[in-house]
Amino acid sequence: MFKPITIKDIAQALELSPSTVSRALSDSYEINEETKKRVIEYAEKHNYRRNPMASSLRQGRSYSIGVVVCEVANSFFSHAIDGIESVAYGKGYHVIISQSHDAYEREVVNIQHLANRAVDGLLISMSAETKDFSHIINLHAQGLPIVFFDRVIDAFETHTVTANNQKGAMVATESLIDRGFKKIAHLANAPHLSITAERLKGYEDALKQHGIPLDESLIRYCHHGGRIQREVEEAIQYFLNLPEKPDAVFVASDRLSMGCLSAYNKLAPRDEHPAVAGFSNSDVLDLLQADFTCIRQPAFKMGQVAMEMLIQLIESRYPVYDFQNIVLETELIHR
Amino acid sequence: MFKPITIKDIAQALELSPSTVSRALSDSYEINEETKKRVIEYAEKHNYRRNPMASSLRQGRSYSIGVVVCEVANSFFSHAIDGIESVAYGKGYHVIISQSHDAYEREVVNIQHLANRAVDGLLISMSAETKDFSHIINLHAQGLPIVFFDRVIDAFETHTVTANNQKGAMVATESLIDRGFKKIAHLANAPHLSITAERLKGYEDALKQHGIPLDESLIRYCHHGGRIQREVEEAIQYFLNLPEKPDAVFVASDRLSMGCLSAYNKLAPRDEHPAVAGFSNSDVLDLLQADFTCIRQPAFKMGQVAMEMLIQLIESRYPVYDFQNIVLETELIHR
DNA sequence: TCGATTGTCGGAAACGATTGCGTAATTTAT
DNA sequence: ATAAATTACGCAATCGTTTCCGACAATCGA
């Protein structure tokens, strides 16, 4: 088996002490420039790589952070991850991604996995099914830096980044109203998600502002966030069975937009499809479905901001009590 | 700051030695059952978590593996990752995902990042742009276990898992022929990818078998694997500009299928769209586009198999020279 | 009954990198 | 010229866990 070269090896070869080599490699000011050069040259020539475990153990830090999202096969989250990575790599952090699949159990397991001192901090977007937050509260209480993005909780104070969901939802709903639709349904996400309440509020605001009465029977929740296509189809079937079918639908999430469009394709002839507007960061959904108006969240930016704030928490020498709750604007795209 | 409890703390509290505690926690046979129980109870009560860095440092293993794919926002890869995770977690391994975005530079950087002894092995699906394999060859030569899946290379011998691309491509092309199409174009992936050659072969086989002459001008490659939508649109525009437009297209990948369908939607009226068949593991593509025939790869299974073989390599006490190249069958879905 | 085996445990040295402290040699200040 | 400061480096402890050697007692076989 291959045995990687260590600091000791370099020290021996160059007749220096390991301390000097270590300091030379980290560019310490108290090492002679000449010596540094020798060490660095030797290290490069022999393909030296510092052992991250030894380093982490000694320093008590891993320079890696954990990301918990419901799933990566989702344009919003994958772009957010890209944003996270862009900042992380620039600052020398590794990113470990894990998926909850919107299931409570897996969220708990993954977070525990990540948290056991293998990461310096956590970036979390809550799972749709999670109602009990104690697994996260405990970690936070133990001093693990945590930043929430998109799907936040208010069980404790920390940095958060979200989109302006209320306004986005309002704008989307208004775009449907402007196109002349009156009977606008709302396909909502899991009820206890922060984004669900905010987007519902925006939907209600738009209706109220245009004098359209709110009809509770036009609102359907998907408790698993659309993870199970059946639940989406049941909601759509419900809409289709209504004595007066809605002529438009405002959909609350990326995943649900996918589910909604394909459910309609499956369950009803094309001329019975309502107009659809909704949150989505998909690259192609709007291209495939011409009359689909979508609200884009600034996913990449959210990832960047979240990561920056997490690094700030991690690298702060003293406990932080002044938390920021950043809200980014969404963008309406219609064709 | 919170200070986690260590083995020493437990040892002190229970008046044992750290060695005994360590052995008790790993359920060693040479520890009295009574003592084990005391240790485990104390550990659980005080919420002890073994420090993974210390453990890894000592054992020379991290119990984590790295996965390199072009992108996670892709149904095939996200399902493959699910398969990988399902096996990994069962065997006590962590999974670290990283994305190459089909770019050579990022593949090199990510693999280096992962490889520096932070992972026990690598699961790789090659980036579309990569033509130089030396960064991987070096690691392999240094003894790092590597398994390829889907997009393999033959620069050296190791375990691989692929789909039966040739047969899948043949079946897909045949399905188009069976529907009466004669002028079947092929939208191909990057030329130096293993899957590209195999699928091209299947396409050619189908044509030959049905007496249709091969027309090179009906084949277009996407050198960036469709990462840049423009290159897909150029290919489609090329097809549209042909004096005799193809009446069907066989598309070589998931990403390209997306790109192809949306490019046609953008560039041509619906009645000029050709029939499309192609590789795709998307959950919704075929629902949105009714006449889209797709070849599904057993993504989840591929992930599982790849991970099992990697674990076998990692845990083998002696160097392995007997490598397996597993080929899984694809599935045709038409509606 | 005496050596041999078995069952339990502790001591101490690793794993590789980092860092507080000490110190010799050189330079600077007075 | 001598004290003081600076430069450049080494020593050794440390992070938390694991594991190779023992070691001591109790039990066993003959």
Side-chain angles (χ1 to χ4, degrees):
Chain A
M1 256 324 127
F2 180 76
K3 182 84 164 42
I5 180 177
T6 74
I7 276 193
K8 285 182 192 166
D9 299 329
I10 300 181
Q12 204 152 28
L14 266 40
E15 292 182 310
L16 290 169
S17 76
S19 352
T20 305
V21 174
S22 172
R23 277 187 268 251
L25 289 173
S26 48
D27 202 30
S28 162
Y29 70 95
E30 48 181 338
I31 298 296
N32 185 289
E33 288 301 328
E34 175 63 30
T35 311
K36 276 186 199 172
K37 211 186 323 171
R38 283 174 59 218
V39 171
I40 291 172
E41 267 176 14
Y42 187 93
E44 282 183 355
K45 187 173 167 202
H46 292 75
N47 199 29
Y48 167 78
R49 309 279 161 192
R50 66 151 46 83
N51 182 320
M53 297 152 201
S55 185
S56 300
L57 176 60
R58 178 59 225 247
Q59 300 196 102
R61 305 196 26 194
S62 64
Y63 283 97
S64 69
I65 64 104
V67 178
V68 184
V69 295
C70 59
E71 52 178 12
V72 293
N74 175 309
S75 297
F76 169 71
F77 287 113
S78 62
H79 286 141
I81 288 172
D82 291 346
I84 291 169
E85 285 184 341
S86 74
V87 173
Y89 284 124
K91 300 260 188 178
Y93 284 83
H94 286 224
V95 176
I96 303 179
I97 301 163
S98 91
Q99 308 183 69
S100 68
H101 292 280
D102 268 333
Y104 172 70
E105 304 279 347
R106 297 201 52 172
E107 180 180 281
V108 174
V109 170
N110 286 341
I111 289 184
Q112 286 298 349
H113 251 121
L114 289 175
N116 299 339
R117 308 236 312 136
V119 295
D120 295 341
L122 242 32
L123 247 32
I124 302 179
S125 189
M126 298 297 300
S127 137
E129 288 182 3
T130 303
K131 300 169 196 168
D132 177 5
F133 307 134
S134 52
H135 56 297
I136 299 179
I137 295 176
N138 285 337
L139 290 174
H140 183 254
Q142 290 175 16
L144 185 73
I146 297 177
V147 171
F148 291 100
F149 69 100
D150 189 45
R151 301 156 162 211
V152 306
I153 62 176
D154 51 12
F156 54 86
E157 276 289 306
T158 186
H159 292 325
T160 62
V161 204
T162 55
N164 192 336
N165 290 301
Q166 189 173 335
K167 188 171 162 199
M170 199 178 86
V171 169
T173 310
E174 271 183 334
S175 82
L176 291 169
I177 296 174
D178 290 347
R179 286 166 62 192
F181 301 112
K182 300 283 184 208
K183 206 166 176 56
I184 302 173
H186 177 30
L187 184 62
N189 213 324
H192 35 275
L193 239 32
S194 60
I195 53 175
T196 302
E198 294 170 23
R199 294 173 189 178
L200 175 63
K201 186 72 169 48
Y203 164 75
E204 293 172 349
D205 285 356
L207 294 184
K208 183 183 290 178
Q209 204 142 17
H210 291 263
I212 301 176
L214 179 69
D215 182 355
E216 294 281 358
S217 72
L218 287 179
I219 302 174
R220 287 284 105 176
Y221 294 93
C222 292
H223 292 256
H224 302 280
R227 181 165 63 98
I228 305 163
Q229 177 65 13
R230 189 176 40 73
E231 71 170 338
V232 181
E233 286 174 9
E234 280 172 10
I236 300 305
Q237 191 62 62
Y238 166 86
F239 288 149
L240 287 168
N241 287 347
L242 245 35
E244 287 185 81
K245 293 193 193 72
D247 51 10
V249 182
F250 163 57
V251 191
S253 86
D254 210 334
R255 178 96 196 212
L256 290 175
S257 294
M258 281 275 188
C260 173
L261 293 179
S262 60
Y264 268 116
N265 273 327
K266 179 175 173 186
L267 301 172
R270 184 166 284 269
D271 57 354
E272 285 183 27
H273 291 191
V276 178
F279 278 73
S280 170
N281 279 61
S282 165
D283 297 323
V284 291
L285 206 52
D286 53 330
L287 285 172
L288 293 177
Q289 189 93 2
D291 61 341
F292 174 62
T293 298
C294 66
I295 295 290
R296 288 232 188 290
Q297 298 185 76
F300 191 87
K301 182 76 185 172
M302 273 175 71
Q304 287 184 310
V305 172
M307 187 66 213
E308 278 162 5
M309 298 201 303
L310 182 61
I311 290 179
Q312 185 213 315
L313 285 184
I314 292 172
E315 299 189 345
S316 160
R317 306 185 131 271
Y318 306 100
V320 176
Y321 296 111
D322 182 25
F323 295 109
Q324 303 179 53
N325 302 107
I326 294 184
V327 177
L328 303 174
E329 292 306 318
T330 60
E331 185 190 359
L332 178 77
I333 299 187
H334 45 190
R335 317 177 64 229
Chain B
M1 253 331 126
F2 180 76
K3 182 84 163 39
I5 181 178
T6 74
I7 278 192
K8 285 181 192 167
D9 299 329
I10 301 180
Q12 204 153 26
L14 265 41
E15 291 181 312
L16 291 170
S17 77
S19 353
T20 305
V21 174
S22 172
R23 278 187 269 250
L25 289 174
S26 49
D27 201 31
S28 162
Y29 71 95
E30 47 182 341
I31 299 296
N32 185 290
E33 288 301 329
E34 176 64 27
T35 311
K36 275 187 197 172
K37 211 186 323 170
R38 282 174 59 219
V39 170
I40 291 172
E41 267 176 14
Y42 187 93
E44 281 185 354
K45 186 171 167 203
H46 292 75
N47 200 30
Y48 167 79
R49 310 277 163 195
R50 71 151 44 84
N51 182 321
M53 298 153 199
S55 184
S56 300
L57 176 60
R58 178 60 225 250
Q59 299 197 103
R61 303 192 31 191
S62 64
Y63 283 97
S64 68
I65 65 104
V67 178
V68 184
V69 296
C70 60
E71 52 178 12
V72 292
N74 176 309
S75 297
F76 169 70
F77 288 111
S78 62
H79 286 142
I81 288 172
D82 291 347
I84 291 168
E85 286 184 341
S86 74
V87 173
Y89 285 123
K91 299 259 188 179
Y93 284 83
H94 286 223
V95 176
I96 303 180
I97 302 163
S98 91
Q99 307 182 70
S100 69
H101 293 280
D102 268 333
Y104 172 69
E105 304 279 347
R106 295 201 54 171
E107 181 181 281
V108 174
V109 170
N110 286 341
I111 289 183
Q112 286 299 348
H113 251 122
L114 289 174
N116 299 339
R117 308 236 309 137
V119 295
D120 296 340
L122 242 32
L123 246 34
I124 302 179
S125 189
M126 298 298 298
S127 138
E129 288 183 3
T130 303
K131 300 168 198 170
D132 177 5
F133 307 134
S134 52
H135 56 297
I136 299 178
I137 296 175
N138 284 338
L139 290 174
H140 183 255
Q142 291 175 16
L144 185 73
I146 296 178
V147 171
F148 291 100
F149 68 101
D150 189 45
R151 300 154 164 216
V152 307
I153 62 177
D154 51 12
F156 52 87
E157 276 289 307
T158 186
H159 291 325
T160 62
V161 204
T162 56
N164 192 337
N165 290 300
Q166 188 172 336
K167 186 169 164 201
M170 199 179 86
V171 169
T173 309
E174 272 183 332
S175 83
L176 291 169
I177 296 173
D178 289 347
R179 285 165 62 190
F181 301 110
K182 300 280 182 209
K183 205 166 177 57
I184 301 173
H186 177 30
L187 184 62
N189 214 324
H192 35 275
L193 240 31
S194 60
I195 53 175
T196 302
E198 293 170 23
R199 293 174 190 178
L200 174 64
K201 186 71 168 50
Y203 164 77
E204 292 172 349
D205 285 355
L207 294 184
K208 183 182 291 178
Q209 204 143 16
H210 291 262
I212 301 177
L214 179 67
D215 181 355
E216 294 281 358
S217 71
L218 288 178
I219 302 175
R220 288 284 104 177
Y221 293 93
C222 292
H223 292 257
H224 303 280
R227 181 165 61 98
I228 304 165
Q229 177 64 12
R230 189 176 39 72
E231 73 170 339
V232 181
E233 286 173 10
E234 281 171 10
I236 300 305
Q237 190 63 62
Y238 166 86
F239 289 149
L240 287 168
N241 289 346
L242 245 35
E244 285 186 80
K245 294 194 192 67
D247 52 9
V249 183
F250 162 57
V251 191
S253 86
D254 209 332
R255 177 96 195 212
L256 290 175
S257 294
M258 282 273 188
C260 172
L261 293 180
S262 60
Y264 268 116
N265 273 327
K266 179 176 173 184
L267 300 172
R270 185 165 285 269
D271 56 354
E272 287 183 25
H273 291 191
V276 178
F279 278 73
S280 171
N281 280 62
S282 165
D283 297 323
V284 291
L285 207 53
D286 54 329
L287 285 172
L288 293 177
Q289 189 94 1
D291 61 341
F292 175 63
T293 297
C294 66
I295 294 291
R296 288 232 188 289
Q297 297 185 77
F300 191 88
K301 182 75 184 173
M302 272 174 73
Q304 286 184 312
V305 172
M307 187 67 213
E308 278 162 5
M309 299 201 300
L310 183 60
I311 289 179
Q312 185 213 316
L313 285 185
I314 292 172
E315 299 189 345
S316 159
R317 307 185 128 271
Y318 306 101
V320 177
Y321 296 111
D322 181 26
F323 296 109
Q324 303 180 54
N325 303 108
I326 294 184
V327 177
L328 303 175
E329 292 306 318
T330 60
E331 185 190 357
L332 178 77
I333 299 188
H334 44 189
R335 316 178 63 230

